[in-house]
Amino acid sequence: MRKPLGLKILDGVTLLAFAAAAALVFFYAPLEAQMGAVQKVFYFHVAAGWTGMLGFVVAAVTSALYLITRNPRWDGFSVSGVEIGLVFMLINIVSGSIWAYPTWNTWWTWDVRLTTATIMELIYLAYGLLRQGVEDLERRRRFAAVYALLGFVSVPITFVSIRLFNSIHPVVIGAGGEMPTMAFTPAMQVAFFGSLIAFSFIFVDLFWHRLLLANWAEQVDALKARFEDVEGGMN
Amino acid sequence: MTTPDTVLYMWIGYGIILGVMGLYVLRLWWGTRRLRQQEAELRRLLAEEDPPDSSLGTIGRG
């Protein structure tokens, strides 16, 4: 299977966007006065969280489409969305913990945001286990789609948790009311939105790659089935 | 907390971010490589067991 030209171009654009975002973070955004250099982790920490949640949103939408149409193509979209979502939420949680240590003086605290994000990650980890546990292909796809839709409830809960409950985690997007919020200088805003854009490109690029892989795996499975038929016919 | 400490944590943070992303790219590359090998092997076995003039000669192609 050959890589489409569009994907090759997207690879290049994504690399450039990522390099530009890294340059903004390290050379353009000023050092935060209180937290120092570790605050720079924040830019990719939030962008990774955004990418992870984007993966789960795509998984939920395409799972619904699968249940409506029963087109296996949507199942491939859903698997890809969950997989990328898991990777980036893991990055989000671990980088958050590293940022927390010099800032909060602890690697981990059962704060509402950290707890809901961890539960969300575990819910989607179980999605993979569920898929492995069901033999029949059609049933596997159906169960996984229903599970991805139910699991999606954890995504908005994680997003709004710091706005609804007392939390030491700062509110980044939108007004936080009485909750702690991040104060940005204009240069920090540029680095922040630059990172979000770069990670959005990374998401689309990885998603496309993962979809190609899923489609290719299906073709190889079909080849295997045909080979077994041929072998069975000869015996 | 002194500045050198926060610099260290910044690098640990970015090391993990880039490391995990790199591992995922590697997983995609490895998956592609494995599928390419499997496909080539299956096509070779099919060609051996299924001569080109048989009705099953174009299985899996296209």
Side-chain angles (χ1 to χ4, degrees):
Chain A
M1 183 173 282
R2 289 188 173 213
K3 196 193 271 193
L5 178 66
L7 184 53
K8 286 180 186 171
I9 294 169
L10 184 62
D11 285 346
V13 172
T14 302
L15 272 175
L16 284 177
F18 185 70
L24 285 174
V25 168
F26 288 107
F27 304 116
Y28 185 68
L31 214 58
E32 209 270 346
Q34 283 186 326
M35 289 181 266
V38 77
Q39 184 268 346
K40 287 185 184 283
V41 170
F42 150 83
Y43 299 105
F44 281 14
H45 161 75
V46 177
W50 152 253
T51 309
M53 287 193 177
L54 202 60
F56 297 148
V57 169
V58 168
V61 171
T62 52
S63 291
L65 286 170
Y66 174 75
L67 289 174
I68 295 165
T69 64
R70 296 299 159 110
N71 185 341
R73 183 177 157 219
W74 296 122
D75 183 60
F77 273 69
S78 188
V79 175
S80 306
V82 169
E83 191 176 289
I84 295 171
L86 273 172
V87 170
F88 281 88
M89 278 315 299
L90 179 71
I91 291 173
N92 175 263
I93 291 169
V94 177
S95 63
S97 174
I98 289 159
W99 181 25
Y101 187 66
T103 311
W104 298 340
N105 206 26
T106 178
W107 293 105
W108 189 262
T109 170
W110 290 106
D111 173 81
V112 65
R113 166 53 72 82
L114 279 67
T115 308
T116 50
T118 306
I119 291 171
M120 180 173 71
E121 181 80 351
L122 292 174
I123 285 172
Y124 281 99
L125 207 62
Y127 171 91
L129 298 176
L130 173 80
R131 290 190 76 93
Q132 285 178 4
V134 183
E135 279 276 317
D136 180 67
L137 194 61
E138 201 281 324
R139 266 164 63 100
R140 182 195 301 163
R141 285 172 174 157
R142 190 157 36 92
F143 283 11
V146 172
Y147 185 88
L149 274 176
L150 291 175
F152 181 70
V153 174
S154 65
V155 177
I157 289 175
T158 302
F159 185 76
V160 299
S161 60
I162 48 175
R163 291 162 180 81
L164 296 179
F165 304 100
N166 279 330
S167 172
I168 54 170
H169 190 288
V171 174
V172 178
I173 298 167
E178 291 176 5
M179 305 302 172
T181 48
M182 291 288 288
F184 287 147
T185 65
M188 284 174 168
Q189 283 182 6
V190 171
F192 174 64
F193 287 109
S195 301
L196 285 187
I197 292 167
F199 272 66
S200 301
F201 273 109
I202 291 172
F203 173 76
V204 178
D205 190 60
L206 289 177
F207 188 73
W208 195 341
H209 277 279
R210 183 62 185 81
L211 267 184
L212 277 182
L213 203 64
N215 291 340
W216 197 5
E218 245 175 60
Q219 286 179 27
V220 171
D221 281 346
L223 263 180
K224 263 185 216 165
R226 296 285 181 126
F227 175 68
E228 279 162 12
D229 281 352
V230 171
E231 229 185 8
M234 292 181 97
N235 291 336
Chain B
M1 188 62 58
T2 57
T3 304
D5 282 335
T6 69
V7 170
L8 173 69
Y9 287 108
M10 177 189 79
W11 287 122
I12 294 172
Y14 272 94
I16 286 174
I17 291 167
L18 296 177
V20 175
M21 282 167 65
L23 281 176
Y24 187 64
V25 170
L26 209 63
R27 173 256 185 277
L28 291 178
W29 174 81
W30 187 257
T32 306
R33 186 173 175 269
R34 193 173 49 85
L35 283 175
R36 184 173 291 131
Q37 285 171 348
Q38 279 183 2
E39 190 185 22
E41 178 69 6
L42 281 166
R43 288 199 187 283
R44 188 185 62 76
L45 289 169
L46 270 170
E48 277 175 13
E49 299 222 353
D50 179 30
D53 59 343
S54 88
S55 59
L56 294 168
T58 55
I59 276 172
R61 289 171 203 278

